[in-house]
Amino acid sequence: MSEPRANLAALVGSRLCHDLISPIGAIQNGLELIALSGPADTSPEMALIQESCESAAARIRFFRVAFGQASQQHMMGRREVMSTLTALGKGGKLRADWMPQDDLPRIEVQLAFLAYLCCESALPGGGTIRFDRDAAGWALSASGPRLSIDQPLWDHLNGSGALDDPAANRVQFVLLPILAEAAGHKVYAMVRDETIILKIA
């Protein structure tokens, strides 16, 4: 995927997330009104609707950053990042430890979120993804009870293998090195002691 095509894909991602978050938010508001209008509905069906709605909203918020349009000028606050990651992991087996304390350019957060998706694909049983950042760039470490490494995908991140026709749920492996290069970074990935180490520097 060339950089112009990546930019077009980012615009499409932003548009889809923007249009989808409104009806999801409306459903959430409706559920809150139902809860306020009378005795709480504690049925399994209502719990499933609420959990599914929360999960969809969290995923859309995350995807808007990971796949939407971003720039160095647009900043993201730590509180917003933490809120997005906390909502994304609610009720799941994957936890994110976000260590940076400062606000960051949105493009840098986008790279970190794409790296999260790469690591997530290798942790089918859940686990922990830790984000560290210094002057050189990002360092992520991901570990869990079981790693599932699709080697060609990780070879592509390291620049040692082509990835011409990835599955839709693996597009992050194509997009991450493109956007990292555009931001002046390079991606390095390795598996060491049953832990994935992913650097963007």
Side-chain angles (χ1 to χ4, degrees), residues 36-166:
L36 293 172
S37 65
D41 185 345
T42 58
S43 66
E45 293 82 3
M46 181 58 74
L48 178 61
I49 293 171
Q50 291 173 331
E51 290 171 6
S52 298
C53 192
E54 290 175 3
S55 176
R59 207 74 181 169
I60 290 172
R61 285 172 58 196
F62 180 88
F63 284 161
R64 193 172 188 177
V65 178
F67 295 112
Q69 195 172 31
S71 69
Q72 289 285 355
Q73 290 73 37
H74 185 180
M75 302 294 288
M76 281 192 71
R78 184 176 190 272
R79 180 177 297 180
E80 181 182 359
V81 174
M82 292 286 292
S83 172
T84 300
L85 290 173
T86 299
L88 185 69
K90 185 178 180 181
K93 298 179 180 178
L94 190 59
R95 189 182 84 231
D97 290 342
W98 185 266
M99 307 311 293
Q101 299 297 310
D102 300 326
D103 297 351
L104 294 167
R106 188 182 181 97
I107 181 61
E108 295 297 327
V109 179
Q110 181 180 39
L111 296 177
F113 279 16
L114 288 170
Y116 173 101
L117 289 174
C118 292
C119 294
E120 180 187 48
S121 72
L123 296 169
T128 301
I129 301 175
R130 176 183 168 117
F131 298 82
D132 288 291
R133 182 173 173 81
D134 58 20
W138 290 104
L140 281 75
S141 60
S143 58
R146 181 167 67 91
L147 293 184
S148 177
I149 302 295
D150 189 343
Q151 197 59 50
L153 297 175
W154 297 91
D155 288 343
H156 179 75
L157 286 184
N158 284 319
S160 58
L163 196 60
D164 298 324
D165 190 24

Side-chain angles (χ1 to χ4, degrees), residues 156-178:
H156 179 75
L157 286 184
N158 284 319
S160 58
L163 196 60
D164 298 324
D165 190 24
N169 64 346
R170 298 294 184 262
V171 68
Q172 61 269 19
F173 285 92
V174 177
L175 194 56
L176 176 56
I178 292 173

Side-chain angles (χ1 to χ4, degrees), residues 22-38 41 46 49-50 53:
S22 293
I24 293 293
I27 295 171
Q28 287 182 304
N29 290 337
L31 291 171
E32 290 176 4
L33 290 174
I34 291 173
L36 293 172
S37 65
D41 185 345
M46 181 58 74
I49 293 171
Q50 291 173 331
C53 192

